[in-house]
Amino acid sequence: MRSVCSALLLLGTVLRAQTPIRFTEHTLAKDLKGGYQVVAVDLNHDGKPDLIALASGMPDLAWYENPGAADKPWERHVLAVNLPRLINCAAEDLDGDGIPEIVVAWEFANDASKSIGKVGVLSHDGDPTKPWKLRQFDEVPTAHRLRWADVDGSGKKVAVNAVLTGTKASPPNYTQDNAPLLIYRPGEWKRETVSTENLGVMHGVSILKWNPKDKRDSILTASFSGIHLFQLTAKGWTRTEISKGDPSACPKCGSSDVAVGRLGTKRFLAAIEAWHGNQVSIYTKEGKGWKRQTIDDSLVDGHTIVTADFDGDGRDEVVAGFRQGSKSLFLYRAGKGDAPAWTKQVLDEGGMNAAACTAVDLNADGKLDIACISGTTLKWYQNQSAGN
């Protein structure tokens, strides 16, 4: 009897591993122009994460208010007006009032000679549903990816500006210059240079605590030079190479976007390679280095990669989106073992040429959902898994 029960338990485990994670799709907006980034953050201090939908082809920065139920509409509000060629923003509550301040970059172009690269900070003026106050504090041609990070472990975060290219870089190869990695300390808003060592295009940045006991955040970048880890020490900033990425000739070289996940206790890196590339690459620690495994090479203009545990089994999945070709959204799941095989699940067939995605619990059911933005559309993929 015990052997029969064990066999049934094993079969149930196998079947669960093979069962796709179910998501229900909700379209929140379909009139965007040049949708580029989606940010999940509580903007009105009601305990529910809202969504900022940044669109490069629209002059206003808008957000959509979370109604708290799947069957209710998400109301659109405007954060700021007259910000042409928006490219990125990042939210952090600096004054402790429960409503974040938002750093934002606009007047962007891929060609540094045509990019003003304005950077500023938005703060609410009493009513977060009304336009916010804007203070511009810098101009950096091709200012691109903005994030917040506690780089010294003090609990005080700085704004990170991962600039796309150096000022001397130009299309089509962009290899004439290196891309600056910058930070700003709130209040001072003075530009500080972390590094100018990444070659060509620096397209991706990720903030994380690299070691479990770390109090400080580290910065992970994806560029023509590959994947690199930046850490602030008592002696200054260090730069550590993780991988050179795709070995092809530039501009189709290195890495484009990077995220960090875990399979149980083991860490892995997931990357889009090369720049705006066709590959989903997985990196796992092997000795003193990192082993690269390409699990998919079917993407066209790959542009976003996210890691999260959507089924509650303690092992992160990978979500990848791309802007051309079949315009689909994929989810990848690792099998068991030290060198697991990865299986691919289609989340949205032909309906999402994703520029950016994020993992967030939007309906407070304890399960991580997915929010993605495309050129025209903002969607919420509601997690219907039996996990968590």
Side-chain angles (χ1 to χ4, degrees):
M1 182 67 177
R2 180 176 298 175
S3 61
V4 172
C5 291
S6 298
L8 289 173
L9 180 61
L10 177 60
L11 177 60
T13 301
V14 171
L15 288 175
R16 183 174 183 269
Q18 294 174 341
T19 302
I21 303 173
R22 294 192 305 111
F23 293 86
T24 298
E25 177 185 316
H26 305 280
T27 298
L28 307 184
K30 53 184 178 181
D31 57 353
L32 306 177
K33 296 178 181 178
Y36 192 84
Q37 183 196 23
V38 57
V39 176
V41 60
D42 182 1
L43 288 168
N44 55 359
H45 198 29
D46 66 353
K48 299 188 291 290
D50 307 298
L51 294 176
I52 301 174
L54 183 146
S56 298
M58 303 177 77
D60 300 340
L61 180 61
W63 65 283
Y64 291 81
E65 185 177 351
N66 189 338
D71 59 348
K72 294 183 179 180
W74 289 58
E75 186 177 356
R76 181 182 184 272
H77 306 285
V78 174
L79 285 162
V81 299
N82 299 322
L83 299 181
R85 299 195 301 279
L86 283 157
I87 195 64
N88 235 233
C89 66
E92 182 68 25
D93 184 6
L94 300 176
D95 57 13
D97 68 350
I99 299 176
E101 285 63 46
I102 302 169
V103 286
V104 60
W106 70 102
E107 293 278 15
F108 171 84
N110 278 341
D111 186 342
S113 68
K114 301 175 182 178
S115 177
I116 300 174
K118 293 182 179 180
V119 187
V121 59
L122 290 163
S123 55
H124 74 92
D125 197 15
D127 183 354
T129 66
K130 304 298 183 183
W132 294 26
K133 296 179 296 184
L134 173 64
R135 175 191 172 188
Q136 182 187 338
F137 56 79
D138 204 2
E139 286 188 4
V140 185
T142 73
H144 188 236
R145 296 288 177 96
L146 300 178
R147 301 291 186 269
W148 289 96
D150 179 3
V151 297
D152 59 5
S154 66
K156 297 179 180 180
K157 293 190 177 183
V158 301
V160 178
N161 181 3
V163 181
L164 187 74
T165 74
T167 56
K168 298 178 182 178
S170 61
N173 291 329
Y174 298 93
T175 52
Q176 304 91 340
D177 203 352
N178 290 358
L181 181 62
L182 311 174
I183 62 170
Y184 308 91
R185 301 181 189 277
E188 301 173 11
W189 300 114
K190 181 180 178 181
R191 185 196 308 175
E192 298 179 32
T193 300
V194 173
S195 173
T196 56
E197 297 173 89
N198 284 346
L199 174 67
V201 171
M202 178 166 55
H203 188 260
V205 63
S206 183
I207 309 301
L208 73 159
K209 288 181 169 51
W210 185 247
N211 298 305
K213 295 182 180 180
D214 279 352
K215 293 183 178 179
R216 64 181 177 179
D217 288 330
S218 299
I219 304 172
L220 206 59
T221 62
S223 71
F224 279 9
S225 296
I227 300 172
H228 289 81
L229 180 72
F230 291 87
Q231 296 177 307
L232 181 60
T233 70
K235 296 182 179 180
W237 287 94
T238 63
R239 176 179 181 261
T240 304
E241 180 179 283
I242 302 297
S243 169
K244 296 185 185 305
D246 190 307
S248 301
C250 293
K252 291 301 180 183
C253 59
S255 290
S256 189
D257 291 278
V258 63
V260 179
R262 288 194 171 273
L263 299 176
T265 60
K266 294 185 177 181
R267 178 169 52 198
F268 71 90
L269 276 61
I272 298 287
E273 295 178 335
W275 177 40
H276 290 175
N278 65 312
Q279 304 162 48
V280 176
S281 297
I282 300 294
Y283 290 90
T284 51
K285 200 74 171 69
E286 189 174 80
K288 295 183 178 181
W290 290 81
K291 180 181 178 181
R292 178 176 185 257
Q293 175 191 8
T294 298
I295 62 172
D296 194 359
D297 61 2
S298 69
L299 279 62
V300 183
D301 192 13
H303 206 267
T304 182
I305 196 156
V306 174
T307 55
D309 182 5
F310 295 106
D311 58 3
D313 66 352
R315 296 164 64 82
D316 287 345
E317 288 76 42
V318 175
V319 173
F322 50 104
R323 300 185 298 185
Q324 302 296 327
S326 68
K327 299 183 174 71
S328 299
L329 187 68
F330 296 149
L331 180 143
Y332 306 86
R333 302 173 76 184
K336 303 298 182 182
D338 293 333
W342 291 77
T343 58
K344 181 167 72 173
Q345 174 184 337
V346 178
L347 293 182
D348 194 331
E349 183 112 39
M352 174 52 65
N353 53 329
C357 296
T358 189
V360 56
D361 182 3
L362 288 174
N363 58 343
D365 65 353
K367 294 181 284 192
L368 288 173
D369 307 306
I370 304 168
C372 292
I373 193 169
S374 72
T376 60
T377 306
L378 177 67
K379 289 186 179 182
W380 163 30
Y381 300 89
Q382 183 181 353
N383 189 344
Q384 304 283 9
S385 71
N388 299 80

